[in-house]
Amino acid sequence: MRITAFLDIPGQDNLTPLARLEKYAFSDNIFNRQIIARGLLDVFRDFSNNEEDFLTVMEIVVRLSEDAEPTVRTELMEQIPPIAIFLQESRPKFPTAFFEYLMPIVVRYLTDVNNQVRKAGQEALLILLEQDLVAQSDIENKVCPILLDLSAPDSDDEYKVEAVNIICKMASMLSRTTVERVLLPRFCELCSDGKLFQVRKICAANFGDICNAVGQEATERLLIPKFFELCSDSVWGMRKACAECFMAVSYTTSPEVRRSKLSPLFISLISDTCRWVRQAAFQSLGPFISTFANPSSAGLYIREDGTLSIRPSPQDVTSNSCQANNNINFMSSSTNVASSSSEQPMEIKRESWTEETSAEVNTVLSVKNLNKDTWEASSDCCTNPAEDLTRLSQGDSVAAGVIEVIKDSNFPGMNSRLQSAEDVFNTFLYWRPPLPDISQDLELLQFKSEKHKDSCSVQCNNCVASSEIKKVLESLQEHIDDPDVQAQVQVLSAALRAAQFDSVSEYETKKIESRGKLQNETTVSDEATISDATCSQVEEDALLSHASQDDISEQSATSILKSADIIPQPLLDQYLSMTDPARAQTVDTEIAKHCAYSLPGVALTLGRQNWHCLKDTYETLASDVQWKVRRTLAFSIHELAVILGDQLTAADLVPIFNGFLKDLDEVRIGVLKHLYDFLKLLHADKRREYLYQLQEFVVTDNSRNWRFRYELAEQLILILELYNPNDVYDYLRHIALTLCSDKVSEVRWISFKLVVAILQKFYANNANALGLNFINELVVRFRHCSKWVGRQAFAFICQAAVQEECMPVDQFVEHLLPSLLSLASDPVPNVRVLLAKALRQTLLEKAYFKSVGNPHLEAAEETVLALQSDRDQDVSFFATIKLKQNNMDNTSIEKQN
């Protein structure tokens, strides 16, 4: 019934409905005016057919908006958004009604003297913006000036707080140009408001939304300085709010700003004197680290639907350069790659080459002969998304050799470039773990420096050959405009000239031979296929001291170590410390849970080649005494398996996965929900080991936890494709039949679908003998069951088998149809009801049974005729009528039974 239905009652006061509306709208009784305001939408619908009456109603609304009673104005404002939507639908009739009559009311209520009315006006404005019912011109010319006046320095404190709040919420709904030109200057002023900490707190809480609204350039130019001020605010609430929105701010900045400015700032927050600030910072630490992520360096790629997936072939990835995308959209699950149970969409902006590091000049080489084992298990190689990199053995120190060659060649300006290497932005990265022990190489260099005073050669185990450097230089020519690329070209050109010097003399040849002996004594990784390379040599000053040699070696080692710095080391150290028991006492009792929640995101950022940094932390979390921590890991272990690849998964995750299988039900459910996703990542032999363990899921700590068994049945339907028919028959068949006899009907019904899927598996793989054995078992187990529930289940299985076409028709009519038709004489009406539905809605609708001369059609029709004359009304009803709904969805009656 409409709220204003009393307006339609004839003869009560001899007034027309419009006159009666006006009478009650301006009545002395406040309740009457409230009723009119509350029912305005129905009033507009009633009078929308007549333009004159419609305009009269509009004038009444305008007068009613000036009512002295705040509750009336509040009721009126709450009706503005639905009325605006109605007017938008009726726009051809009243194209300007909203902007001429209602929009001024909304703007006026933003400055109403009553707090409740103002809040109603603010909520209505946000709804109108969300529905895109307000033009951008009206926002700039009518709404924004009001908000700027209310947020002025000399404005009333209460109005200013409300204006700041509405500005922050509006930012994400307006165009970038409007926000940057109109609202951003005022927002920057409010961030420094020294009068009200509430204003600064609102700015800090919504800082990430503002950054996202204005984009990277404005964020780095105007907002980052303000963000630094808020992070050092004297009020701890401001610093806490900044820590909570740190990830959103980081996404909007460039890699160099993220690394050089935001990382030290975050370290200051995580070391704050206030416990609540530290707690918020640690909760945001993992998400902040994930903003450094570059999935291509982890051997992964983003599908079109936004899901993270492993590359189809490591060999293909090795032979072809990884193409860097401009934007990668993650869609928590997740998982937030962080977790499949709660996932926040993320957008990671990547530069056209790679992320920034503070490392010195990196040598770019081409990847060769990198087999699958090396890709996933070796910790000293990785691919760059812009160029191919060379697979180096453990004894290599190529970067050291190149830097030494250049520094010792007396090229103009080259030493100064190396000295200021920390200020150089490198567009090429080579991720690798710390260098192996090169003390033997250093001793050899010192020995040669003392022996040969006229000239010496800078030694390296496997230096870059001239041809390799030429290839790299050729690939850089198309990007020569980039200053950073020019720096790389200068470095590599110097190395090339050094490698092309005059041929070595006799005593230098002896040195090469002695170096070859040393290489034979050095352990080289099995995957290395680089042949013995000739050492690049260059003339240098004979008075090169022992200290200079040590400095060069130390600098080259530092270069490679810094190139592996995917994320700032202090951030990683703080993240790894989250498992420290002392943190639970001084920061947050659930800090380990936050660490576990964000671990997949951190693993994605570091890449599989740096998994060793997180391995111990993951094992510590997996054995945590809090089941909530283990549950969090269980829900995300399948995502981590995608990140690490099959070899690391088998080595490090499978043991933990096995432990989760024996854990509490609260932990096991996390594994079970993504059981198929995890098993499909394993090798076939490893996957087969879990066939017997799947039966353990049937047993739960609490028998009333039926949803656990329901989830098991759903997962088994998916898991069928991972195993051959013999394994399905030997192991999964028993589980399916056990679930079909469950005490809970929901579990039984999903298990019947599992049985049909197993039949389909057998016949799709030409395992007809297994299918026939399974059919015979179904007939014995269900058709001849002493309980009517079993016989009803048999009817449903037959119906589903026909509908899903999981087996040949001739097999069905020979082995299942006679047993199905015999249910017509079952004494329980519920069984006959499902039989009637199976015959009438499914079986007789198939083309096979519609064909003329079908020998089985007559028997089926006779059974249907018998059911139509059944003494039970429900049986006769379903045998007669042919429902249009999908028969697989019409199971509500059976479930109730």
Side-chain angles (χ1 to χ4, degrees), residues 620-783:
T620 302
L621 293 171
S623 59
D624 196 278
V625 294
Q626 301 182 66
W627 64 266
K628 292 182 179 179
V629 177
R630 304 195 304 274
R631 173 185 169 93
T632 303
L633 293 180
F635 270 97
S636 62
I637 192 171
H638 67 289
E639 295 286 359
L640 190 59
V642 174
I643 296 171
L644 298 184
D646 54 357
Q647 290 202 357
L648 287 176
T649 296
D652 299 333
L653 296 189
V654 166
I656 296 176
F657 182 83
N658 295 337
F660 288 158
L661 293 180
K662 303 174 183 178
D663 213 313
L664 301 175
D665 284 351
E666 289 79 4
V667 179
R668 295 170 69 202
I669 187 63
V671 174
L672 180 59
K673 276 187 172 293
H674 304 284
L675 186 60
Y676 166 76
D677 296 325
F678 185 83
L679 292 180
K680 73 178 181 180
L681 298 174
L682 303 179
H683 288 298
D685 54 347
K686 195 70 178 178
R687 187 189 305 144
R688 199 172 185 277
E689 297 177 3
Y690 288 95
L691 278 171
Y692 184 77
Q693 298 184 42
L694 292 176
Q695 302 180 24
E696 299 177 2
F697 281 109
V698 180
V699 182
T700 56
D701 298 337
N702 184 2
S703 59
R704 296 182 179 180
N705 189 9
W706 62 268
R707 290 181 177 85
F708 194 92
R709 301 188 296 275
Y710 185 92
E711 186 67 39
L712 173 61
E714 285 192 325
Q715 286 294 311
L716 288 178
I717 294 176
L718 301 174
I719 290 174
L720 291 176
E721 71 175 57
L722 302 179
Y723 297 100
N724 59 58
N726 291 324
D727 289 338
V728 172
Y729 186 85
D730 294 337
Y731 297 95
L732 303 185
R733 173 180 59 94
H734 297 290
I735 303 177
L737 294 177
T738 302
L739 294 175
C740 287
S741 303
D742 197 89
K743 295 180 180 180
V744 180
S745 62
E746 287 287 344
V747 178
R748 293 197 303 270
W749 287 103
I750 189 65
S751 302
F752 299 154
K753 296 182 179 180
L754 173 60
V755 168
V756 174
I758 292 176
L759 278 174
Q760 190 170 14
K761 174 74 174 182
F762 290 153
Y763 285 101
N765 291 272
N766 298 322
N768 295 349
L770 297 179
L772 181 58
N773 293 337
F774 191 43
I775 288 175
N776 295 332
E777 188 172 3
L778 293 177
V779 172
V780 174
R781 192 180 186 98
F782 295 108
R783 169 58 189 89

Side-chain angles (χ1 to χ4, degrees), residues 267-375:
I267 294 298
S268 66
L269 290 176
I270 218 168
S271 306
D272 198 272
T273 56
C274 178
R275 175 172 181 171
W276 306 113
V277 178
R278 297 198 305 272
Q279 179 177 328
F282 271 109
Q283 292 180 11
S284 300
L285 177 57
F288 175 52
I289 291 177
S290 69
T291 61
F292 292 83
N294 185 356
S296 62
S297 66
L300 305 170
Y301 73 102
I302 307 300
R303 293 178 178 174
E304 294 181 357
D305 58 357
T307 58
L308 189 68
S309 180
I310 200 167
R311 292 193 182 276
S313 174
Q315 287 82 358
D316 295 340
V317 178
T318 304
S319 59
N320 298 315
S321 298
C322 301
Q323 299 298 325
N325 299 325
N326 293 329
N327 295 294
I328 295 184
N329 295 321
F330 288 87
M331 171 65 199
S332 255
S333 153
S334 179
T335 112
N336 181 315
V337 180
S339 174
S340 61
S341 60
S342 175
E343 196 170 298
Q344 180 178 3
M346 303 185 296
E347 182 179 2
I348 295 182
K349 298 183 178 181
R350 297 191 293 167
E351 300 300 320
S352 59
W353 296 100
T354 58
E355 295 183 8
E356 173 196 14
T357 69
S358 59
E360 286 82 13
V361 180
N362 296 315
T363 304
V364 182
L365 307 171
S366 59
V367 178
K368 288 184 177 182
N369 301 326
L370 188 58
N371 58 26
K372 183 177 181 181
D373 295 338
T374 303
W375 173 267

